[in-house]
Amino acid sequence: MKKILFKIGLAFLMLVLYLVLANIMYEKYFYRQDLKESDAEMLLKIDSLQFTSDVLYFAESSNATLADDDTCLLTIAQMIDSLSPKKVMAIDHGAIHAKTYKSLIENIKDDAKVKTLIVTLNLRSFGANWIHSKMETALMKANVMYEQIPPIAKRIKLAFNGFDNQNDQMRGHIMEDHWRHDYIHLPDTFPYKNVRAWDNAVGGGNVLNFTTPNGDWDMPRIELATSYIKTYAFTIVPSSNPRIKDFDEIVEIAKRKKLKLVYNLLAENMEYADSLVGKALTDVMKENAQMLIKRYTDKGVLVVDNLSAVAGKEFTEKRWTSEHYTQRGRWTIARNVANAMSIK
Amino acid sequence: MLFNSLQFIFFLPVVVLLYYLLAHKYRWILLFIASSYFYSVFYFPYVFVLYAVIIIDYVCGLLIERSEGRKRWWWLVISIISNIGLLSYFKYTNFFIDIFNETAPFVHISKHIKNLDIILPIGLSFHTFQSLSYTIEVYRKKQKAEKHIGYFANYVLFFPQMVAGPIERYERLGNELRISQRLSYENFSHGLRLVLYGLFVKMCIADNLAPMVDEVYQAPESYYSSSVWMAMIAFAIQIYADFYGYSTVALGAARMLGIHLMDNFKQPYFALGIQDFWKRWHISLSTWFRDYVFFSMGGSRVKTFRWIINVLFLFAVSGFWHGANYTFIVWGILHGIAYLLDKGVSNIIPTQIKQLKLFSIISMLVTFAVVVIIWVFFRAKDLTCSLAILKQSMSYGIEANKHLQVSCIPLSMLAIFVSLELAIINTRFDNWLASKQISFRWAIYSVLILCLLLFSGIKSFPFIYFQF
């Protein structure tokens, strides 16, 4: 028995030795390559920008997506920077959400220069359509690289599937399940009680009667309408919504790190939502937005309400839902954020 | 639960520890709970599909044993229909719906059926086949019906091999599960060695080759033929490393519990012909089809023409077992044709020539080349893609503009793997290592652990055979 215990002890010691050795080698020779492969180079960005800027602007693609005919090529963060006496820099990447912001913010050190964080509060990111999107696996993988653990531990987590890496089919199945069963706060008289029923009815064409001049179904318009339903028809349940949990935790982290926090509730295309689907949908969107504004204002966050601030024509995407704005739309949002920050 | 997951790294030691702490009479409960948990991690509701398989075949087994004559046959038919029915529903429904939708317009049917939102329970093809082998054996009176549903459930559920085999027979696994295993250093060390080697093979070989293969298969027309060939060979190694890696971890995990699973591979790429290949590749499936399908069709005792048809049918079914796609059927049929040709040619070649070393080397290379080419149908998403790959592999790449970039990491890992496989010819990794000096053993452990830590693929590719 003693011999076996000795062997086990020795093996354990060897394993620790391997881990230390591997960590040194990994950090020196391979870590940067893995950051690149995991699409997690924002970590390098936050490591440097936190010491050179006063304000960090965390955003998805809304920050830097431009319209083809824009003459002003500034991002929203650059616009805020130009409107503010403080140095504002962006930490942004397409399709990221609060869970990524949270992990990145954890990397801000106590002696960092940055004192204010602006975080985009994207209404769409609270819906099942985004929460269970196929992009989630890649995002969660990158998230592992933002964790504050030794580099070799990050590698082990990636290699041994230590993150949410469900396959696309499973994510689609879960999303469908939410569409079929999630409660939406709609008038009692409203004929559809869930996304699937609503989507099927509108997708069938007869509900909205979108037709082309020839009398055929206007399929692009019908598909856009169903896309709005699948994207925005949800009622946020704070107790179970993972995005709420992430944004709540960001509040706690900011408090702990003594950082001023601004939530920038992004503009959605309310005009399109209204003209394509109708008041039932815009009411649900507004109700969710109001809930978020109240929740985070109560928690001491400065929430800038941009939900209806941008006109429909200032959205660059006409065929799907997004928060991509023309220069006029970006300036509107930047001004609202800069004004709110200077007032508070 | 995946073998290459942090969950499994913690799960396995806990189960092994509890297993040996418990008295033998309670171990089946532990294994049942552990296996159910292991499976439910994939998708909880589907553990009930497995329970359904267990209950049906447990009851059918008992009833077959108690019945006589025609009744016995009927209980077997019920078991077969239930298992194949479940498998067909989950695996083939959408495939047949697609066929209906594609062919309906030709016969003037305007109806379009929507695909069902079905997720295939992981490894369903494996556990239905394993469970079916039990009822068939009971019917053939080669196996007594199991009275204890717990032991029978563990035979179907046993977590190391439940999702991708080896497909065990009750005579072997069922009876091993009944034996009161005692903690032994030998079992433990052999088991750990197999787990370590299996993880190395899966994570350092298969997962490092997968991105290269994916890259070429996504757009074969962009690559020069040399690159296409590299991807074809890389896939042959990837699928072997993937499945062999899984099976080796399965063997290791079971061995830690004192249970010996059958070897599912015997270095198939060293095979000297297609017949030989099928004696070395996925042995548990080949023997299943041989024992329960081929022999039922008359085996080799039928006339030559009938035998040829039987062989082709068997390989086609085996291909279809792998997946609901035409590509798998073509893959199976091509293997059937290669098998028949090999059989025909080997009857003509004189024994003196067969004994030449040069002949063996040429046979091995030809077999490998044939298998590599046929794998294209297994990997490609559809027949069009398969043909595009094959066409590109034979073209001079007039329209191609890309070479496949191969980094030194996959090549280095491959060099280590091939060296080890050459060293363990005619034996197995754990047994080979057991015969070596402690310093040599630790040198090998060190290499494998450091490779796993530093060079394992981080793109997280699921085990290929899980989808079957």
Side-chain angles (χ1 to χ4, degrees):
Chain A
M1 190 64 184
K2 264 187 180 176
K3 202 178 161 190
I4 291 177
L5 283 177
F6 176 74
K7 277 185 171 178
I8 292 171
L10 195 66
F12 186 73
L13 270 178
M14 290 295 282
L15 195 63
V16 172
L17 188 71
Y18 289 142
L19 282 170
V20 173
L21 190 69
N23 192 48
I24 295 167
M25 287 168 69
Y26 178 62
E27 197 166 6
K28 194 161 183 185
Y29 300 111
F30 308 111
Y31 184 45
R32 287 218 165 204
Q33 182 60 30
D34 278 356
L35 279 178
K36 198 176 163 188
E37 274 187 28
S38 312
D39 207 6
E41 283 171 306
M42 272 192 296
L43 187 66
L44 304 175
K45 215 170 167 185
I46 198 162
D47 279 349
S48 63
L49 291 187
Q50 62 177 296
F51 294 105
T52 55
S53 45
D54 305 302
V55 180
L56 282 177
Y57 184 84
F58 290 88
E60 16 37 36
S61 56
S62 62
N63 180 49
T65 307
L66 313 177
D68 291 341
D69 55 353
D70 277 351
T71 51
C72 170
L73 304 181
L74 294 179
T75 64
I76 293 176
Q78 287 167 335
M79 289 169 172
I80 299 172
D81 181 59
S82 72
L83 296 167
S84 160
K86 292 175 179 166
K87 183 77 192 152
V88 183
M89 298 292 281
I91 305 281
D92 62 348
H93 190 286
I96 57 173
H97 51 66
K99 193 161 185 141
T100 311
Y101 304 149
K102 182 180 76 182
S103 306
L104 287 167
I105 291 168
E106 280 283 18
N107 282 279
I108 295 176
K109 296 180 178 63
D110 292 342
D111 58 343
K113 188 184 174 209
V114 68
K115 291 288 173 266
T116 305
L117 308 175
I118 307 171
V119 179
T120 55
L121 190 61
N122 187 324
L123 188 62
R124 219 158 40 101
S125 72
F126 291 84
N129 204 25
W130 191 328
I131 291 171
H132 304 288
S133 96
K134 290 172 184 173
M135 288 177 292
E136 197 62 9
T137 303
L139 292 179
M140 291 305 101
K141 191 174 156 187
N143 234 30
V144 170
M145 296 309 259
Y146 307 139
E147 287 181 24
Q148 293 178 300
I149 51 178
I152 197 68
K154 295 179 186 181
R155 191 169 213 290
I156 291 171
K157 282 189 85 173
L158 287 184
F160 283 89
N161 297 288
F163 61 100
D164 173 12
N165 71 338
Q166 290 182 88
N167 63 32
D168 291 352
Q169 198 192 10
M170 188 59 88
R171 287 193 193 282
H173 185 77
I174 296 168
M175 194 191 292
E176 184 66 37
D177 198 49
H178 280 282
W179 284 345
R180 283 180 193 279
H181 301 112
D182 280 5
Y183 165 77
I184 312 171
H185 187 212
L186 290 159
D188 291 340
T189 50
F190 194 73
Y192 318 114
K193 300 298 174 203
N194 57 56
V195 172
R196 179 43 67 218
W198 197 353
D199 174 63
N200 281 347
V202 170
N206 289 317
V207 177
L208 300 173
N209 283 319
F210 290 151
T211 50
T212 62
N214 304 333
D216 299 329
W217 289 125
D218 185 350
M219 286 318 289
R221 213 162 159 222
I222 291 171
E223 278 167 20
L224 188 57
T226 59
S227 167
Y228 267 80
I229 291 166
K230 282 187 275 205
T231 305
Y232 296 110
F234 57 86
T235 294
I236 300 171
V237 180
S239 58
S240 61
N241 191 294
R243 282 301 90 80
I244 289 280
K245 186 171 168 277
D246 296 330
F247 277 108
D248 285 357
E249 284 175 19
I250 291 173
V251 175
E252 294 308 313
I253 297 165
K255 271 185 194 162
R256 180 161 37 89
K257 292 185 182 282
K258 297 188 176 59
L259 297 165
K260 189 178 161 189
L261 188 60
V262 180
Y263 279 168
N264 174 17
L265 177 64
L266 287 176
E268 303 294 348
N269 199 336
M270 301 300 281
E271 284 179 21
Y272 263 46
D274 188 36
S275 67
L276 285 165
V277 187
K279 192 172 175 295
L281 184 65
T282 54
D283 281 352
V284 169
M285 292 168 76
K286 284 176 191 163
E287 191 181 44
N288 283 329
Q290 284 312 310
M291 189 279 286
L292 291 172
I293 293 166
K294 185 175 182 320
R295 182 179 183 89
Y296 292 110
T297 306
D298 289 351
K299 286 180 185 282
V301 181
L302 170 60
V303 184
V304 184
D305 180 6
N306 279 310
L307 183 71
S308 308
V310 177
K313 63 178 180 186
E314 306 302 344
F315 283 79
T316 62
E317 255 77 63
K318 311 294 183 200
R319 300 190 62 180
W320 64 86
T321 53
S322 79
E323 294 76 24
H324 297 165
Y325 318 107
T326 61
Q327 63 189 55
R328 191 191 287 256
R330 294 199 303 281
W331 274 115
T332 305
I333 289 174
R335 252 183 240 111
N336 287 348
V337 173
N339 287 342
M341 284 170 69
S342 62
I343 292 164
K344 186 113 178 187
Chain B
M1 191 183 298
L2 297 167
F3 282 164
N4 56 338
S5 69
L6 290 178
Q7 280 169 307
F8 186 71
I9 302 286
F10 292 104
F11 170 85
L12 182 63
V14 170
V15 173
V16 171
L17 186 73
L18 291 176
Y19 182 78
Y20 288 112
L21 284 176
L22 279 175
H24 175 63
K25 61 180 173 178
Y26 301 119
R27 284 179 183 167
W28 72 268
I29 302 171
L30 171 75
L31 279 184
F32 178 75
I33 294 169
S35 298
S36 299
Y37 172 71
F38 177 91
Y39 195 75
S40 67
V41 169
F42 293 118
Y43 185 52
F44 176 72
Y46 281 175
V47 82
F48 296 102
V49 176
L50 274 189
Y51 292 164
V53 170
I54 290 166
I55 291 168
I56 290 165
D57 288 333
Y58 170 74
V59 173
C60 285
L62 288 176
L63 292 172
I64 290 169
E65 191 175 68
R66 284 174 199 172
S67 313
E68 288 297 329
R70 201 75 182 150
K71 262 191 175 175
R72 284 172 63 77
W73 185 82
W74 274 112
W75 288 122
L76 176 68
V77 169
I78 287 171
S79 166
I80 293 172
I81 289 175
S82 308
N83 282 284
I84 302 298
L86 269 175
L87 188 59
S88 304
Y89 170 73
F90 283 106
K91 194 164 179 169
Y92 302 109
T93 305
N94 282 333
F95 176 69
F96 287 116
I97 287 176
D98 288 343
I99 291 178
F100 173 83
N101 289 335
E102 282 164 17
T103 52
F106 295 109
V107 286
H108 307 291
I109 298 173
S110 58
K111 193 168 169 56
H112 182 89
I113 305 174
K114 261 191 170 182
N115 274 347
L116 303 182
D117 180 26
I118 299 172
I119 295 176
L120 175 67
I122 284 177
L124 186 65
S125 309
F126 286 92
H127 25 257
T128 47
F129 268 41
Q130 177 155 313
S131 197
L132 256 184
S133 76
Y134 162 79
T135 46
I136 297 172
E137 292 290 307
V138 174
Y139 176 78
R140 290 178 176 176
K141 296 187 176 172
K142 287 180 182 170
Q143 173 67 49
K144 284 198 164 186
E146 175 60 67
K147 308 285 184 294
H148 193 302
I149 192 166
Y151 283 114
F152 180 70
N154 283 338
Y155 162 69
V156 180
L157 281 174
F158 188 50
F159 73 86
Q161 51 83 246
M162 72 187 303
V163 285
I167 302 166
E168 290 282 352
R169 308 293 168 86
Y170 201 85
E171 185 189 13
R172 185 187 173 101
L173 178 59
N175 293 336
E176 280 230 23
L177 286 166
R178 276 191 164 276
I179 299 169
S180 171
Q181 306 287 353
R182 296 186 66 179
L183 178 61
S184 101
Y185 182 75
E186 197 195 353
N187 279 342
F188 205 71
S189 59
H190 277 250
L192 272 178
R193 276 173 207 151
L194 289 169
V195 170
L196 177 63
Y197 188 56
L199 289 176
F200 165 77
V201 173
K202 158 68 181 159
M203 295 167 71
C204 295
I205 308 300
D207 288 357
N208 273 318
L209 292 173
M212 290 163 49
V213 176
D214 288 357
E215 197 183 317
V216 174
Y217 272 77
Q218 268 162 21
E221 59 287 342
S222 308
Y223 288 88
Y224 290 106
S225 59
S226 56
S227 295
V228 174
W229 272 103
M230 276 164 65
M232 285 161 63
I233 294 169
F235 178 67
I237 302 168
Q238 182 205 340
I239 191 165
Y240 173 54
D242 194 277
F243 198 8
Y244 172 51
Y246 170 88
S247 299
T248 308
V249 178
L251 257 65
R255 183 71 187 268
M256 287 169 82
L257 298 168
I259 288 158
H260 300 73
L261 297 180
M262 70 180 288
D263 288 323
N264 217 6
F265 295 93
K266 284 184 180 160
Q267 295 168 317
Y269 293 145
F270 293 148
L272 302 178
I274 293 294
Q275 295 178 80
D276 191 24
F277 177 80
W278 282 104
K279 287 176 190 157
R280 294 162 173 260
W281 176 273
H282 203 175
I283 300 165
S284 62
L285 182 71
S286 316
T287 48
W288 196 100
F289 273 111
R290 183 198 63 199
D291 294 349
Y292 303 124
V293 183
F294 189 63
F295 287 166
S296 306
M297 295 163 80
S300 302
R301 288 168 300 180
V302 292
K303 286 185 177 167
T304 310
F305 181 72
R306 175 78 193 276
W307 174 78
I308 290 170
I309 298 296
N310 285 355
V311 168
L312 289 175
F313 174 77
L314 191 75
F315 275 100
V317 172
S318 155
F320 198 47
W321 174 89
H322 282 86
N325 195 330
Y326 296 116
T327 51
F328 292 109
I329 301 172
V330 173
W331 172 80
I333 291 172
L334 288 176
H335 261 288
I337 293 168
Y339 184 94
L340 293 170
L341 287 174
D342 180 29
K343 188 103 178 162
V345 171
S346 65
N347 287 342
I348 301 166
I349 296 171
T351 318
Q352 297 96 307
I353 294 178
K354 280 185 192 168
Q355 283 165 347
L356 293 175
K357 193 137 195 165
L358 183 66
F359 180 81
S360 300
I361 293 168
I362 292 170
S363 301
M364 200 189 295
L365 291 174
V366 170
T367 307
F368 182 66
V370 169
V371 172
V372 164
I373 292 167
I374 301 178
W375 275 132
V376 169
F377 291 89
F378 197 94
R379 170 59 182 80
K381 64 177 191 297
D382 52 36
L383 289 176
T384 315
C385 178
S386 313
L387 296 174
I389 289 273
L390 291 175
K391 194 177 154 199
Q392 199 67 8
S393 72
M394 286 178 279
S395 78
Y396 296 105
I398 298 159
E399 287 170 29
N401 55 14
K402 276 192 206 168
H403 282 292
L404 185 62
Q405 302 294 322
V406 184
S407 76
C408 61
I409 289 176
L411 292 179
S412 323
M413 294 298 102
L414 207 53
I416 296 173
F417 178 52
V418 173
S419 312
L420 285 171
E421 285 295 293
L422 286 171
I424 62 174
I425 273 184
N426 297 329
T427 177
R428 210 172 58 185
F429 181 76
D430 54 328
N431 298 328
W432 171 73
L433 217 50
S435 66
K436 301 290 175 193
Q437 293 275 337
I438 187 165
S439 54
F440 183 83
R441 288 207 301 268
W442 272 93
I444 297 288
Y445 298 150
S446 307
V447 169
L448 296 185
I449 290 171
L450 285 174
C451 284
L452 266 176
L453 290 174
L454 292 171
F455 305 121
S456 49
I458 55 165
K459 287 204 170 154
S460 86
F461 294 91
F463 285 99
I464 296 171
Y465 266 74
F466 271 22
Q467 63 185 295
F468 309 138

